[in-house]
Amino acid sequence: MTWEPVIGLEIHVQLKTRTKMFCRCPVGFGAAENTQTCPVCLGFPGALPVPNSTAIEWVVRLGLALGCEIAPRAVFARKNYFYPDLPKGYQISQYDLPSCINGRVLVPLPNGDHAVGIVRAHLEEDAAKNVHVGGRTGRIGGADYTLVDYNRGGTPLVEIVTAPDIHSAEEAKRFLQLLRQTIVELGISDAEMEKGTLRVDANVSVRPEGSDELRTRCEIKNMNSFTHIARGIEAEVERQVAVWESGGEVEQHTYDFDVATGTLTPRRAKEEADDYRYFPEPDLLPVEPSAALVEQLRAGLPELPAERIRRVGETLDHERALVLVTGGLDALWRDTVAAGAEAVAASNVIANQLVGAGVDPGGVDPAELAKLVEARERIPRQAFDEAIARVAEPGFSAAPYLAREAVSDAAALEPIVDAILAANPAQVEQYRGGKEGLLGFFVGKVMKETKGQADARAVNELVRTKLNVDV
Amino acid sequence: MAITAEQVLHVARLARLDLTDDEVERLTGELGAILDAVSKVSELDLSDVPPTSHPLDLVNVWADDAPHDSLPLEDVLRNAPASERGLFRVPPTG
């Protein structure tokens, strides 16, 4: 039997607002522990939350970019559980009335667009950071005690929940690449998995291909890159298929994916799982964004990455289009092509050499890059690499690097020299008749033809050889 | 009775409260009385009343995303039973 994976994703995005969700403590990495805290985010009695207007605008902006309906009325609720990273004893989160619902993202894939439903996108606050001290591994189990830093507590988070519309690890990865680039371009988050500003959990089940049943799903957590997510999903799909095929039954469970070993470790089951006793947060008023605000935010949306992948894909193949757009490189590619570079060559140079050299694409003058792209076959590889490494430096000029073509590549100069000699038969005759001072005349012509970019010594030598040999 | 002893024990466990048998019995009675009182509302015909999450007739009370000073660390930790290097120290979790 062939099995089809059924995957839904839950994504948490830390917004890069200046202040927290419900208080005006600054948000940011690097501050000393607990120095970005106040009575609100420490959960002191009597402190009252006030929502961050920028976070509210940004979740609407994101919702619009994900094709969501924007709720005319959203309500914050209390999600109750006891854990030291949550000083109030509850997390404030939109629950039954989230800001954004019923979205749809069209993910460009090599064989066309694939629709992924967005069930919801809602606002909530992040938890604090626990450091488990002592014990065998320093992890939760067996720790001697726990230290808590509340700086992160209360940072605005958006949670995005997709429908189970994803059917392979590869599709999941592509969806996430697109989502990440969309978030980055909206300017609402750095969305970096290594920093934890983008976190992804995957709900995975499998079913016989062709059926539309939904079997028991398992959740995988603790994956910190798109590649790891893809591998985690693959491992979980493999595990579930093996269970069903051996006549067993998949049981609902949560797993941590260990990248080093490629294995899934079950998390300890919570005794009182998911009994959060949600109720509307009495300290906060409903969020009712006006139609005017929503329309203003909609009008302010940039052209989104999915549209650009499709557009770039009209010129390049899908894979190249995807790499350029999700790498934030397509604007430079477009301008480099406009400046005269060939499309595929420009894409290769930008996506491979430029990125490989760690060059900031924003600092590159497309006109100079276009010259390098066009010269890449002619000039020595070393000159090309040196030029690429420096192409983002202020005032960079490709000319000195292009000049190095003559030294190592006489073959490129030869046709020019031949053409100059052929165009000036009288002077050739005079030279051969003994008027050797005419050498400079020919060299000057060649230099002019090559716009001063040829190496004069190499040209000299070539012209002399030609005049002396081709009698 | 509006609430059972099992429900009281369940909520107590969620709240990390360790109740004696006597306390369970007393709280079952007290919580039951509160729930009975609140349930009087359901005797009214409220079919025309929309769900209310807040008694005030206000929406969209937000603040600008402009930082204020945080609390001095000394005050942050003043009431902490235990702290270490500027961090709250709590019993091991899990």
Side-chain angles (χ1 to χ4, degrees):
Chain A
M1 192 190 306
T2 315
W3 296 85
E4 180 185 49
V6 180
I7 302 155
L9 300 172
E10 248 180 62
I11 301 116
H12 285 89
V13 181
Q14 203 181 80
L15 298 181
K16 59 174 183 189
T17 48
R18 296 173 66 202
T19 69
K20 294 188 180 182
M21 187 63 230
F22 298 113
C23 65
R24 303 291 80 77
C25 280
V27 171
F29 293 101
E33 287 96 341
N34 288 310
T35 56
Q36 297 181 332
T37 60
C38 74
V40 173
C41 58
L42 289 169
F44 287 177
L48 288 172
V50 183
N52 184 325
S53 60
T54 300
I56 287 171
E57 281 189 15
W58 284 359
V59 76
V60 171
R61 207 166 138 74
L62 177 61
L64 291 169
L66 302 181
C68 291
E69 298 163 27
I70 304 306
R73 178 184 174 88
V75 171
F76 288 106
R78 291 186 180 182
K79 177 182 181 177
N80 297 280
Y81 65 92
F82 274 108
Y83 205 67
D85 63 8
L86 207 59
K88 300 189 294 298
Y90 55 85
Q91 178 194 34
I92 304 176
S93 170
Q94 293 175 339
Y95 177 54
D96 54 343
L97 294 170
S99 276
C100 314
I101 52 167
N102 292 337
R104 200 169 77 125
V105 172
L106 289 175
V107 184
L109 293 178
N111 51 356
D113 286 349
H114 178 74
V116 175
I118 304 294
V119 176
R120 58 190 284 148
H122 75 244
L123 273 175
E124 59 184 41
E125 54 177 340
D126 207 348
K129 215 161 88 183
N130 286 338
V131 183
H132 305 288
V133 180
R136 271 179 303 114
T137 58
R139 290 189 68 121
I140 300 178
D144 294 332
Y145 58 93
T146 298
L147 296 172
V148 195
D149 172 12
Y150 289 100
N151 281 355
R152 194 182 71 180
T155 303
L157 285 185
V158 174
E159 180 179 320
I160 302 160
V161 181
T162 80
D165 290 340
I166 298 166
H167 298 293
S168 72
E170 182 65 18
E171 272 180 30
K173 190 173 157 183
R174 299 205 172 219
F175 169 80
L176 287 168
Q177 281 175 331
L178 183 68
L179 177 68
R180 178 184 182 274
Q181 189 60 24
T182 304
I183 290 166
V184 168
E185 290 183 16
L186 290 175
I188 63 174
S189 172
D190 295 331
E192 290 188 54
M193 293 200 76
E194 320 79 68
K195 283 193 188 163
T197 51
L198 178 70
R199 302 167 217 159
V200 180
D201 301 330
N203 285 302
V204 178
S205 66
V206 298
R207 66 185 172 199
E209 178 122 33
S211 94
D212 58 2
E213 64 179 311
L214 288 175
R215 297 197 175 195
T216 306
R217 65 193 158 104
C218 288
E219 190 174 15
I220 341 172
K221 289 176 174 283
N222 206 17
M223 301 171 289
N224 58 6
S225 77
F226 292 156
T227 306
H228 294 165
I229 290 164
R231 282 177 50 199
I233 289 171
E234 274 162 13
E236 177 59 14
V237 166
E238 210 171 291
R239 189 191 68 82
Q240 289 186 15
V241 167
V243 170
W244 291 120
E245 289 194 338
S246 66
E249 183 109 356
V250 169
E251 287 174 35
Q252 188 155 356
H253 212 89
T254 301
Y255 292 88
D256 278 325
F257 180 62
D258 185 329
V259 180
T261 59
T263 52
L264 296 152
T265 317
R267 286 203 169 185
R268 221 160 53 93
K270 286 185 213 160
E271 282 167 43
E272 310 284 341
D274 297 348
D275 193 347
Y276 294 127
R277 294 149 292 139
Y278 284 95
F279 63 90
E281 163 62 272
D283 290 340
L284 290 169
L285 294 155
V287 176
E288 298 189 4
S290 68
L293 174 66
V294 173
E295 286 321 304
Q296 180 201 326
L297 292 170
R298 193 194 305 275
L301 286 181
E303 189 188 20
L304 296 169
E307 297 160 32
R308 304 206 313 278
I309 291 172
R310 277 175 223 117
R311 194 155 45 74
V312 175
E314 289 164 11
T315 309
L316 298 172
D317 57 272
H318 175 80
E319 211 46 48
R320 285 194 169 93
L322 183 83
V323 169
L324 286 177
V325 174
T326 56
L329 301 163
D330 56 310
L332 177 60
W333 170 79
R334 183 197 59 213
D335 295 345
T336 305
V337 171
E342 194 274 322
V344 173
S347 159
N348 291 346
V349 167
I350 291 169
N352 303 328
Q353 276 95 353
L354 207 75
V355 170
V359 171
D360 166 25
V364 177
D365 178 347
E368 296 305 306
L369 181 61
K371 290 179 197 166
L372 291 176
V373 170
E374 287 306 282
R376 78 199 182 288
E377 306 285 351
R378 296 200 307 270
I379 64 176
R381 180 60 198 236
Q382 199 195 359
F384 179 76
D385 289 346
E386 282 175 32
I388 288 294
R390 298 202 161 148
V391 70
E393 288 176 6
F396 171 86
S397 164
Y401 299 95
L402 303 187
R404 287 164 61 179
E405 68 183 307
V407 179
S408 64
D409 192 8
L413 283 175
E414 213 163 351
I416 301 168
V417 171
D418 288 344
I420 300 283
L421 297 186
N424 300 281
Q427 283 82 353
V428 171
E429 274 304 315
Q430 289 171 13
Y431 178 90
R432 286 181 177 153
K435 208 171 171 188
E436 293 192 7
L438 276 170
L439 186 70
F441 166 80
F442 295 110
V443 171
K445 287 267 183 204
V446 173
M447 292 308 285
K448 195 175 172 202
E449 185 65 28
T450 58
K451 299 192 174 70
Q453 290 166 4
D455 183 290
R457 253 179 56 199
V459 175
N460 236 300
E461 215 164 301
L462 191 61
V463 172
R464 198 196 303 271
T465 312
K466 290 263 173 195
L467 288 168
N468 293 344
V469 171
D470 299 357
V471 179
Chain B
M1 192 62 74
I3 189 168
T4 65
E6 285 71 37
Q7 286 172 310
V8 171
L9 277 171
H10 173 68
V11 174
R13 203 154 45 233
L14 291 171
R16 305 295 185 271
L17 295 174
D18 195 9
L19 301 182
T20 64
D21 290 349
D22 286 351
E23 284 170 324
V24 171
E25 200 187 323
R26 180 167 59 80
L27 285 167
T28 305
E30 289 179 2
L31 290 170
I34 292 169
L35 288 170
D36 281 340
V38 173
S39 69
K40 285 229 178 296
V41 175
S42 63
E43 291 168 12
L44 300 170
D45 177 9
L46 299 173
S47 50
D48 292 340
V49 180
T52 306
S53 63
H54 203 284
L56 295 182
D57 190 19
L58 281 172
V59 298
N60 299 348
V61 177
W62 308 334
D64 285 346
D65 183 28
H68 289 186
D69 286 344
S70 292
L71 217 52
L73 187 60
E74 195 193 333
D75 291 341
V76 168
L77 297 171
R78 189 181 299 279
N79 294 313
S83 67
E84 191 175 307
R85 291 178 286 118
L87 292 144
F88 289 84
R89 180 173 164 161
V90 300
T93 51

